[in-house]
Protein backbone atom coordinates (compact mmCIF):
# COMPACT_ATOMS: atom_id res chain seq x y z
CA UNK A 1 0.00 0.00 0.00
CA UNK A 2 2.87 2.38 0.80
CA UNK A 3 4.48 1.48 -2.51
CA UNK A 4 1.33 2.45 -4.37
CA UNK A 5 1.22 5.81 -2.61
CA UNK A 6 4.76 6.49 -3.77
CA UNK A 7 3.92 6.15 -7.47
CA UNK A 8 3.89 9.49 -9.27
CA UNK A 9 0.50 8.76 -10.90
CA UNK A 10 -1.30 8.26 -7.58
CA UNK A 11 -3.12 11.36 -6.42
CA UNK A 12 -2.49 13.28 -9.63
CA UNK A 13 -5.31 14.30 -11.90
CA UNK A 14 -5.34 12.41 -15.17
CA UNK A 15 -4.43 14.90 -17.90
CA UNK A 16 -7.53 15.55 -20.00
CA UNK A 17 -5.76 14.63 -23.24
CA UNK A 18 -5.07 11.07 -21.96
CA UNK A 19 -8.73 10.07 -21.87
CA UNK A 20 -9.46 10.40 -25.60
CA UNK A 21 -6.13 8.73 -26.42
CA UNK A 22 -6.92 5.79 -24.14
CA UNK A 23 -10.44 5.50 -25.56
CA UNK A 24 -9.17 5.62 -29.15
CA UNK A 25 -6.55 2.94 -28.46
CA UNK A 26 -9.12 0.70 -26.76
CA UNK A 27 -11.47 1.05 -29.73
CA UNK A 28 -8.83 -0.26 -32.15
CA UNK A 29 -9.07 -3.91 -31.06
CA UNK A 30 -5.53 -4.51 -32.33
CA UNK A 31 -2.62 -6.33 -30.78
CA UNK A 32 -0.14 -3.54 -31.39
CA UNK A 33 0.31 -0.24 -33.13
CA UNK A 34 3.34 1.37 -34.71
CA UNK A 35 4.47 4.63 -33.19
CA UNK A 36 3.78 6.33 -36.51
CA UNK A 37 0.19 5.06 -36.46
CA UNK A 38 -0.11 6.21 -32.85
CA UNK A 39 0.85 9.74 -33.90
CA UNK A 40 -1.73 9.63 -36.69
CA UNK A 41 -4.37 8.41 -34.24
CA UNK A 42 -3.56 11.23 -31.83
CA UNK A 43 -3.73 13.78 -34.64
CA UNK A 44 -7.11 12.40 -35.72
CA UNK A 45 -8.53 13.06 -32.25
CA UNK A 46 -7.01 16.56 -32.13
CA UNK A 47 -4.09 15.71 -29.81
CA UNK A 48 -1.54 17.30 -32.11
CA UNK A 49 1.17 18.51 -29.73
CA UNK A 50 4.07 16.06 -29.82
CA UNK A 51 4.74 16.49 -26.11
CA UNK A 52 1.11 15.69 -25.23
CA UNK A 53 1.26 12.60 -27.43
CA UNK A 54 4.43 11.42 -25.69
CA UNK A 55 3.12 12.23 -22.22
CA UNK A 56 -0.15 10.41 -22.88
CA UNK A 57 1.75 7.33 -24.04
CA UNK A 58 4.08 7.45 -21.02
CA UNK A 59 1.12 7.75 -18.68
CA UNK A 60 -0.77 4.88 -20.32
CA UNK A 61 2.39 2.79 -20.17
CA UNK A 62 2.95 3.64 -16.49
CA UNK A 63 -0.59 2.58 -15.53
CA UNK A 64 -0.33 -0.62 -17.58
CA UNK A 65 -2.81 0.23 -20.32
CA UNK A 66 -0.14 -0.27 -23.01
CA UNK A 67 3.43 -1.53 -23.21
CA UNK A 68 5.98 0.74 -24.84
CA UNK A 69 9.76 0.77 -24.61
CA UNK A 70 10.45 4.42 -25.30
CA UNK A 71 14.17 4.20 -24.56
CA UNK A 72 14.86 1.01 -26.50
CA UNK A 73 15.80 1.88 -30.08
CA UNK A 74 14.75 -1.58 -31.31
CA UNK A 75 11.34 -1.53 -29.66
CA UNK A 76 10.38 2.14 -29.51
CA UNK A 77 8.59 1.88 -32.85
CA UNK A 78 5.91 -0.45 -31.50
CA UNK A 79 3.20 0.04 -28.88
CA UNK A 80 1.71 -3.18 -27.52
CA UNK A 81 -2.02 -2.82 -26.92
CA UNK A 82 -2.76 -6.47 -26.16
CA UNK A 83 -0.19 -8.05 -23.84
CA UNK A 84 -1.71 -11.49 -24.51
CA UNK A 85 -0.40 -11.20 -28.06
CA UNK A 86 3.13 -11.27 -26.61
CA UNK A 87 2.36 -13.78 -23.86
CA UNK A 88 0.84 -16.30 -26.28
CA UNK A 89 3.84 -16.17 -28.60
CA UNK A 90 6.41 -16.50 -25.83
CA UNK A 91 4.51 -19.18 -23.93
CA UNK A 92 4.23 -21.23 -27.11
CA UNK A 93 8.03 -21.19 -27.34
CA UNK A 94 8.55 -22.08 -23.68
CA UNK A 95 6.34 -25.16 -23.85
CA UNK A 96 7.55 -26.33 -27.25
CA UNK A 97 8.84 -29.90 -27.25
CA UNK A 98 11.41 -29.22 -29.98
CA UNK A 99 13.17 -26.60 -27.86
CA UNK A 100 13.13 -28.87 -24.83
CA UNK A 101 14.57 -31.71 -26.95
CA UNK A 102 17.32 -29.33 -28.13
CA UNK A 103 18.20 -28.46 -24.51
CA UNK A 104 16.81 -24.95 -24.80
CA UNK A 105 18.50 -24.05 -28.08
CA UNK A 106 16.85 -22.69 -31.20
CA UNK A 107 17.83 -20.64 -34.20
CA UNK A 108 16.11 -17.59 -35.58
CA UNK A 109 14.93 -19.37 -38.74
CA UNK A 110 13.21 -22.11 -36.74
CA UNK A 111 11.61 -19.60 -34.38
CA UNK A 112 10.19 -17.41 -37.14
CA UNK A 113 8.84 -20.42 -39.04
CA UNK A 114 7.26 -21.69 -35.84
CA UNK A 115 5.58 -18.37 -35.06
CA UNK A 116 4.52 -17.82 -38.65
CA UNK A 117 3.01 -21.27 -39.15
CA UNK A 118 2.15 -23.17 -36.00
CA UNK A 119 1.28 -21.06 -32.95
CA UNK A 120 -2.35 -21.86 -32.17
CA UNK A 121 -4.56 -20.27 -34.80
CA UNK A 122 -2.58 -17.03 -34.82
CA UNK A 123 0.22 -16.35 -37.26
CA UNK A 124 2.89 -13.73 -36.81
CA UNK A 125 4.40 -11.73 -39.67
CA UNK A 126 8.16 -11.38 -40.05
CA UNK A 127 8.29 -7.89 -38.52
CA UNK A 128 6.19 -9.06 -35.58
CA UNK A 129 8.56 -11.98 -35.07
CA UNK A 130 11.49 -9.54 -34.91
CA UNK A 131 9.74 -7.51 -32.19
CA UNK A 132 8.82 -10.63 -30.22
CA UNK A 133 12.36 -11.98 -30.35
CA UNK A 134 13.73 -8.63 -29.17
CA UNK A 135 11.28 -8.73 -26.26
CA UNK A 136 12.47 -12.21 -25.31
CA UNK A 137 16.11 -11.19 -25.22
CA UNK A 138 18.25 -9.99 -22.36
CA UNK A 139 17.55 -6.40 -21.29
CA UNK A 140 13.83 -6.88 -21.86
CA UNK A 141 12.24 -10.09 -20.57
CA UNK A 142 15.49 -12.10 -20.15
CA UNK A 143 13.85 -15.24 -21.50
CA UNK A 144 16.52 -16.10 -24.04
CA UNK A 145 20.11 -15.18 -24.77
CA UNK A 146 21.95 -15.04 -28.07
CA UNK A 147 24.87 -17.43 -28.34
CA UNK A 148 27.80 -15.22 -29.30
CA UNK A 149 29.99 -17.59 -31.27
CA UNK A 150 27.43 -18.57 -33.85
CA UNK A 151 26.72 -17.23 -37.33
CA UNK A 152 23.26 -18.84 -37.54
CA UNK A 153 21.84 -16.60 -34.83
CA UNK A 154 21.30 -19.31 -32.26
CA UNK A 155 19.65 -18.62 -28.94
CA UNK A 156 19.32 -20.35 -25.60
CA UNK A 157 16.28 -20.46 -23.32
CA UNK A 158 17.63 -21.39 -19.87
CA UNK A 159 14.15 -22.39 -18.68
CA UNK A 160 14.12 -25.14 -21.31
CA UNK A 161 17.50 -26.61 -20.42
CA UNK A 162 17.59 -30.04 -18.79
CA UNK A 163 16.98 -30.08 -15.06
CA UNK A 164 19.82 -32.49 -14.38
CA UNK A 165 23.34 -31.53 -15.35
CA UNK A 166 25.23 -34.10 -17.39
CA UNK A 167 27.77 -36.22 -15.60
CA UNK A 168 31.26 -34.78 -15.95
CA UNK A 169 34.47 -35.86 -14.37
CA UNK A 170 37.33 -33.44 -14.06
CA UNK A 171 40.93 -34.62 -14.37
CA UNK A 172 42.84 -32.71 -11.72
CA UNK A 173 46.30 -34.06 -12.57
CA UNK A 174 47.43 -31.19 -14.79
CA UNK A 175 45.25 -28.48 -13.30
CA UNK A 176 46.40 -25.34 -11.57
CA UNK A 177 46.32 -25.79 -7.83
CA UNK A 178 46.48 -22.92 -5.36
CA UNK A 179 48.01 -23.46 -2.00
Amino acid sequence: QNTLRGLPQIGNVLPAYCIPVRNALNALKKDYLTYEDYEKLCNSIKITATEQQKNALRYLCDVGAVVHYENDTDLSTIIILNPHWVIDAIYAVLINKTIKDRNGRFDKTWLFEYWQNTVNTKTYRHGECMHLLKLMLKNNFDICYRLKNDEQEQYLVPLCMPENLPEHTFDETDSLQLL
Side-chain angles (χ1 to χ4, degrees), residues 13-172:
V13 177
L14 175 66
Y17 55 85
C18 287
I19 296 169
V21 172
R22 181 190 60 202
N23 293 341
L25 289 173
N26 288 340
L28 291 177
K29 304 294 183 211
K30 289 184 166 187
D31 294 324
Y32 68 94
L33 188 68
T34 65
Y35 193 84
E36 183 180 331
D37 287 340
Y38 170 75
E39 290 174 316
K40 289 176 186 175
L41 178 110
C42 287
N43 288 330
S44 75
I45 58 172
K46 308 296 186 243
I47 309 293
T48 56
T50 302
E51 202 55 39
Q52 283 186 339
Q53 292 175 0
K54 287 181 179 181
N55 287 339
L57 184 56
R58 283 185 199 119
Y59 183 85
L60 294 171
C61 189
D62 287 347
V63 298
V66 299
V67 178
H68 182 244
Y69 294 92
E70 179 181 14
N71 297 320
D72 185 319
T73 55
D74 291 330
L75 294 170
S76 63
T77 60
I78 187 171
I79 300 162
I80 299 166
L81 306 175
N82 176 10
H84 291 283
W85 174 74
V86 175
I87 293 166
D88 291 346
I90 293 173
Y91 184 71
V93 170
L94 293 177
I95 64 168
N96 183 275
K97 183 176 177 357
T98 301
I99 290 182
K100 290 190 186 297
D101 291 346
R102 294 179 182 172
N103 296 325
R105 290 176 180 252
F106 65 89
D107 63 55
K108 184 175 165 181
T109 303
W110 176 89
L111 180 67
F112 284 24
E113 286 176 8
Y114 177 68
W115 275 335
Q116 291 172 339
N117 300 313
T118 58
V119 178
N120 302 325
T121 58
K122 183 176 262 302
T123 58
Y124 296 84
R125 295 189 310 265
H126 186 271
E128 295 170 337
C129 293
M130 289 297 297
H131 289 301
L132 291 166
L133 177 57
K134 288 173 185 170
L135 283 168
M136 288 178 61
L137 286 168
K138 185 178 180 314
N139 297 330
N140 290 304
F141 293 171
D142 286 336
I143 291 172
C144 71
Y145 302 88
R146 179 144 186 219
L147 300 176
K148 295 283 185 196
N149 59 353
D150 193 85
E151 293 178 14
Q152 296 179 342
E153 288 195 58
Q154 289 216 344
Y155 299 86
L156 176 69
V157 179
L159 289 171
C160 296
M161 292 175 66
E163 290 183 27
N164 298 323
L165 294 174
E167 290 293 324
H168 180 72
T169 55
F170 183 71
D171 184 7
E172 296 180 22

